[in-house]
């Protein structure tokens, strides 16, 4: 009887928690590189350095080629907040300063599919997509949630359409 | 970064021998098929965006710059309108480790005053001209003419990047703003959030020296900058130098700078002390504190206090400034300010200033 109660409680708990887990998974972001690339990102700070163009080379000497989504894209805004600690428009002064020194911001691509295509075919490229959108064309260098914390790299949910 | 390919511009293809025609045809077909896809992926499509520069088609060459115009009414002076800066950046950045950058600035191209318009003060300045070679993020070598890495303002002094039309004295008076020589610089990403450093030397022979400035005769210096808590940047500067007009009068300059910014608010400061080998009466010191606050819409209030003590027994000058800026976009800003000096023996300009500045 006790076992049955425990199993029922566990099942009820799982049912209650399931939507939360799916929501957390669909919020997770995958930082991606080409599938045959050995480039990996060790931390959120390192990722921020890459996206601020302060770190421009991988450890093997390959130039890092970061790509972004448009500034209004909800994923870009979540990524920017999670990794850079600021929204794209709050980084404009920073990019003005970098431009003054001839350093341009990461190239902006139109869509997640475009990021997948470019990252898959450009040596040294790095991008970000919803974790659930990662496919066999790319390798996941780092997976983070909306707070920038590292999460499991395995896509665990189907992307909502 | 290979922007050439991403902008959908077909890369140059080396000439091929006749027996390679099939290969060439295949390559051309591949490029033809890939290029539109890549162009369609990019939001820019290779087009021009204000404040982001322009890539010369089919090259790794970029053009950009900034322009500013000032309207001033200094105390006991007639009003004047200046086209103060027309600055052009030209840089080359390919996939190699080599990079080239130049900035030429047409200063005071036209000045309009009551019943007088002239270009007498026009001067074509060579602000920067250097080549960079990159070994890694931590090791870069720069050779040529560059901005002297002292403080923060001098390194970002372009009118669209700063909040006031006038410039604090400490940011350019006690040292030459440009140096011609060599620099080792980089970001030490293994140190916390990344320590930016630069170490440089100059043995004079300034490239196109500005006749109005007393340039370095010889200089050796270093600058460190570190980001704390994402919103605070702190820097330290040191340079040992003498200048062309006073060769042999060796001086040490020590500086501290800091900039905190968050949510549109900004608080920045620079402090500097210049010590002369010839005695304390040749020392100079100064600094400023500046605050910026959003006041609604795209308007920002600016306030600044600065102090500067030049060599000699005279008391230093204090300068108060209040201003209101309108940031039209990230690339365009309109500024107004009013400044008032105390003990103004240096005859620092004070009064009303307004300007418009655009990054292009």
């Amino acid at each position: 009887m006790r076992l049955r109660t425990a199993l029922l409680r566990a099942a009820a708990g799982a049912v209650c928690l399931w939507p939360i887990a799916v929501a957390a998974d669909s919020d997770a972001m995958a930082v991606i590189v080409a599938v045959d690339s050995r480039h990996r990102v060790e931390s959120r700070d390192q990722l921020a350095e890459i996206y601020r163009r302060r770190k421009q080379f991988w450890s093997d000497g390959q130039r890092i080629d970061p790509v972004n989504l448009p500034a209004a894209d909800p994923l870009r805004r979540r990524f920017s907040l999670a990794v850079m600690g600021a929204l794209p428009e709050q980084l404009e002064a920073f990019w003005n300063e970098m431009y003054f020194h001839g350093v341009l911001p990461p190239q902006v691509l139109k869509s997640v599919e475009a990021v997948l295509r470019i990252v898959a075919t450009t040596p040294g490229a790095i991008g970000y997509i919803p974790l659930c959108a990662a496919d066999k064309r790319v390798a996941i260098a780092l997976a983070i949630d909306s707070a920038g914390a590292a999460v499991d790299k395995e896509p665990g949910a189907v992307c909502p359409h | 970064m290979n922007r050439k390919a991403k902008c959908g511009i077909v890369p140059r293809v080396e000439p091929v021998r006749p027996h390679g025609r099939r290969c060439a045809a295949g390559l051309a077909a591949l490029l033809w098929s890939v290029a539109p896809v890549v162009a369609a992926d990019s939001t820019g499509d290779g087009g021009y965006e204000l404040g982001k520069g322009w890539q010369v088609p089919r090259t790794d060459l970029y053009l950009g710059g900034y322009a500013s115009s000032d309207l001033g009414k200094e105390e006991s002076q007639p009003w004047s309108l200046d086209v103060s800066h027309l600055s052009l950046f030209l840089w080359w950045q390919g996939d190699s480790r080599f990079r080239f950058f130049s900035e030429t600035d047409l200063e005071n191209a036209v000045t309009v005053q009551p019943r007088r318009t002239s270009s007498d003060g026009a001067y074509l300045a060579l602000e920067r001209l250097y080549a960079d070679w990159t070994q890694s993020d931590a090791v870069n070598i720069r050779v040529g003419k560059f901005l002297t890495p002292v403080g923060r303002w001098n390194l970002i002094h372009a009118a669209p990047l700063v909040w006031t039309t006038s410039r604090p004295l400490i940011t350019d008076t006690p040292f030459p703003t440009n140096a011609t020589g060599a620099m080792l610089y980089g970001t030490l990403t293994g140190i916390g959030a990344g320590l930016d450093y630069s170490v440089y030397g100059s043995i004079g022979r300034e490239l196109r020296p500005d006749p109005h400035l007393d340039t370095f005769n010889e200089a050796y210096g270093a600058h460190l900058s570190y980001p704390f808590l994402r919103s605070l940047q702190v820097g330290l500067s040191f340079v040992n130098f003498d200048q062309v007009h006073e060769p042999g009068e060796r001086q040490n300059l020590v500086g501290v700078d800091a900039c905190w910014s968050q949510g549109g608010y900004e608080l920045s400061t620079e402090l500097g002390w210049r010590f002369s080998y010839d005695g304390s009466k040749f020392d100079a010191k100064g600094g400023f504190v500046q605050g910026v606050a959003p006041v609604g819409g795209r308007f920002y209030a600016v306030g600044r206090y600065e102090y500067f003590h030049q060599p000699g027994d005279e008391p230093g000058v204090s300068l108060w400034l209040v201003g209101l800026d309108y940031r039209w976009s990230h690339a365009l800003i309109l500024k107004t300010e009013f400044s008032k000096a105390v003990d103004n023996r240096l005859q620092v300009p004070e009064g009303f200033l307004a300007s418009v500045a655009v990054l292009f």
Side-chain angles (χ1 to χ4, degrees):
Chain A
M1 189 66 181
R2 265 188 203 162
L3 179 63
R4 192 177 164 192
T5 307
L7 283 172
L8 279 171
R9 279 184 183 164
V15 167
C16 291
L17 288 175
W18 182 76
I20 296 170
V22 169
D25 263 351
S26 65
D27 273 355
M29 294 170 276
V31 178
I32 56 170
V33 294
V35 70
D36 55 352
S37 162
R38 283 177 294 178
H39 302 139
R40 293 294 179 269
V41 179
E42 291 162 12
S43 65
R44 182 182 63 175
D45 284 346
Q46 193 184 63
L47 190 59
E49 293 303 292
I50 289 171
Y51 270 84
R52 285 178 185 266
R53 307 297 312 277
R54 293 178 76 221
K55 178 173 175 58
Q56 298 203 26
F57 292 91
W58 294 107
S59 53
D60 62 1
Q62 171 85 50
R63 188 178 283 278
I64 304 176
D65 202 351
V67 294
N68 247 335
L69 288 166
D73 189 295
L75 182 62
R76 160 81 179 273
R77 300 181 76 76
R78 270 200 296 130
F79 179 83
S80 188
L81 262 181
V83 175
M84 323 278 274
L87 291 167
E89 56 271 23
Q90 293 168 331
L91 294 167
E92 283 173 348
F94 169 81
W95 286 115
N96 278 354
E97 291 176 14
M98 295 296 274
Y99 173 66
F100 184 59
H101 295 286
V103 178
L104 294 169
Q107 192 185 6
V108 175
L109 301 179
K110 282 179 177 173
S111 64
V112 166
E113 177 55 29
V115 172
L116 275 162
R117 272 207 297 265
I118 293 296
V119 170
T121 56
T122 308
I126 183 170
Y128 53 88
I129 57 173
L131 182 59
C132 55
D135 62 23
K136 62 184 179 184
R137 288 176 288 176
V138 294
I140 299 175
L142 182 72
I144 55 172
D145 63 17
S146 292
V151 297
D152 189 353
K153 287 182 181 177
E154 291 301 317
V158 177
C159 285
H161 292 286
Chain B
M1 174 184 284
N2 188 357
R3 289 176 184 277
K4 194 167 56 179
K6 286 189 181 160
C7 291
I9 295 162
V10 178
R12 287 161 296 191
V13 179
E14 292 299 319
V16 291
R17 288 185 287 274
H19 66 265
R21 274 181 192 158
R22 187 178 297 170
C23 176
L27 185 59
L30 179 69
L31 291 173
W32 181 84
S33 62
V34 167
V37 172
V38 178
D41 284 341
S42 170
T43 56
D45 291 333
Y48 174 76
E49 187 181 348
L50 203 62
K52 296 279 166 44
W54 177 68
Q55 184 178 12
V56 180
R58 299 173 196 276
T59 72
D60 290 320
L61 208 56
Y62 296 82
L63 283 171
Y66 71 94
S68 66
S69 180
D70 307 345
L71 174 67
K73 175 67 185 78
E74 293 174 24
E75 283 193 352
S76 66
Q77 295 286 326
W79 62 266
S80 71
L81 176 68
D82 268 348
V83 177
S84 47
H85 294 281
L86 186 54
S87 184
L88 182 70
F89 311 154
L90 173 66
W91 77 99
W92 182 89
Q93 170 83 67
D95 285 335
S96 71
R97 294 174 177 274
F98 178 75
R99 184 170 172 271
F100 163 86
F101 187 92
S102 74
E103 181 192 359
T104 46
D105 186 9
L106 180 58
E107 298 173 347
N108 305 316
V110 181
T111 302
V112 180
Q113 290 176 314
R115 291 187 288 278
R116 185 167 187 266
T117 299
S118 80
S119 56
D120 295 348
Y123 177 71
L124 186 64
L126 180 63
E127 281 284 312
R128 294 178 280 176
L129 178 67
Y130 56 72
D132 279 348
W133 188 82
T134 298
Q135 170 63 30
S136 67
D137 292 313
V139 179
N140 299 266
I141 295 169
R142 175 168 295 173
V143 177
K145 184 173 182 179
F146 44 83
L147 299 173
T148 310
V150 171
R152 173 179 156 78
W153 196 295
N154 191 49
L155 295 174
I156 58 155
H157 66 258
L161 275 60
V162 293
W163 290 102
T164 59
T165 307
S166 61
R167 181 171 175 162
L169 293 164
I170 192 64
T171 66
D172 64 356
T173 305
F175 63 94
T177 52
N178 306 78
T180 297
M183 177 195 287
L184 178 69
Y185 74 97
T187 302
L188 304 175
T189 52
I191 300 177
L195 175 72
D196 290 331
Y197 78 93
S198 57
V199 181
Y200 57 96
S202 170
I203 52 169
R205 295 175 191 158
E206 179 97 341
L207 289 171
R208 188 169 169 76
D210 187 331
H212 305 103
L213 301 177
D214 187 5
T215 58
F216 282 128
N217 185 49
E218 190 180 42
Y220 303 99
H223 183 252
L224 299 173
S225 180
Y226 186 79
F228 290 94
L229 307 170
R230 288 186 177 177
S231 53
L232 175 65
Q233 189 90 23
V234 177
L236 295 172
S237 310
F238 170 79
V239 57
N240 174 278
F241 66 98
D242 66 349
Q243 291 169 266
V244 168
H245 292 174
E246 299 100 19
E249 189 196 336
R250 210 74 197 168
Q251 308 190 73
N252 283 324
L253 178 80
V254 180
V256 180
D257 60 274
C259 181
W260 170 86
S261 60
Q262 196 158 30
Y265 293 88
E266 184 181 296
L267 190 60
S268 59
T269 184
E270 285 189 31
L271 306 170
W273 297 265
R274 194 185 69 191
F275 305 102
S276 172
Y277 284 22
D278 290 354
S280 60
K281 70 176 181 176
F282 297 102
D283 291 350
K285 62 185 176 185
F288 74 87
V289 180
Q290 178 178 283
V292 177
V295 289
R298 293 171 176 174
F299 284 96
Y300 292 83
V302 184
R304 184 170 71 211
Y305 168 74
E306 67 171 295
Y307 173 80
F308 187 75
H309 186 280
Q310 65 173 345
D313 299 326
E314 299 286 349
V317 58
S318 291
L319 196 63
W320 296 88
L321 179 148
V322 291
L324 184 67
D325 292 0
Y326 182 76
R327 187 162 279 286
W328 184 286
S329 72
H330 77 97
L332 179 64
I333 186 169
L334 305 163
K335 307 179 221 178
T336 58
E337 66 199 48
F338 180 78
S339 59
K340 186 73 186 166
V342 180
D343 290 329
N344 193 5
R345 290 177 176 82
L346 280 174
Q347 295 188 318
V348 179
E350 52 183 315
F352 174 78
L353 267 177
S355 66
V356 57
V358 62
L359 204 56
F360 59 81

